[in-house]
Amino acid sequence: MHRKSARFLFILIICFIPLILAGCGDGTIVLPVDDGFIVICTNPTEYAVHKVPFSFEGAPDPDDSDSGDDNNILYTLPWTFYFYGTAYTDIWIDSNGNIWFETDTNDYDFNLRTCDDNGPCIAGWNQDLDSEDYGEYRVQRKTDPDRVVIEWITETYDDNDDGLDVLNNFEIILYKNGEIRVNYNYFNCAICRDSSSGVSKGVPNGSVYTSLTEKFGPVPGLGQTSYIFTCP
């Protein structure tokens, strides 16, 4: 390469990369990755939820796992995850099928609109779940694409209390680009309910949320289905 051309390319890179990292003016930023670039939604005021073809990954080789009743795991994300415009590097995963971004709670049957004043939340299945005697919940980072899989294999609290030993299986996947996928594998619960599952900013007036339940029905009836939450 000629010296003049190399200098021009160097100047172009130096000038262009800050523009990439600064954003596109539409609530997104573009970051370089090994095989190109990734567009990340940084400032969604709401999420759209879409049904997609069913698939299920699981977390067979977890980075962390636990079992219990009303427990949680503090998990450090491998990259910054943007949720409702706020950057997060840690999440709390609870045994009741939820992800919390600002509080180490393990709430259940809560008001999705406000997350019961616990800050932003993702409710995979908003019911009282219990893996103390049977099952577990676990988290695993995967790549290509870069993502974190959180899987629950669990009973409901009521089924466990009755000694039924019937498991249910679902997962939430957080992608580096800000998308959220929920895969519902199977439900065997005898005592089933859903207090509204989905995503929420958890604001006091309950105005910023997207309910999967309101659009597609109660979670225990959604076996073998998948959904993605994206920026509109």
Side-chain angles (χ1 to χ4, degrees), residues 112 194-198 210-219 222:
L112 179 66
D194 178 11
S195 298
S196 192
S197 302
T210 300
S211 172
L212 186 150
T213 304
E214 290 177 5
K215 187 169 183 179
F216 297 102
V219 162
L222 301 180

Side-chain angles (χ1 to χ4, degrees), residues 21-40:
L21 298 179
C24 304
D26 60 355
T28 63
I29 58 175
V30 183
L31 295 177
V33 293
D34 292 341
D35 55 353
F37 294 93
I38 184 170
V39 178
I40 299 177

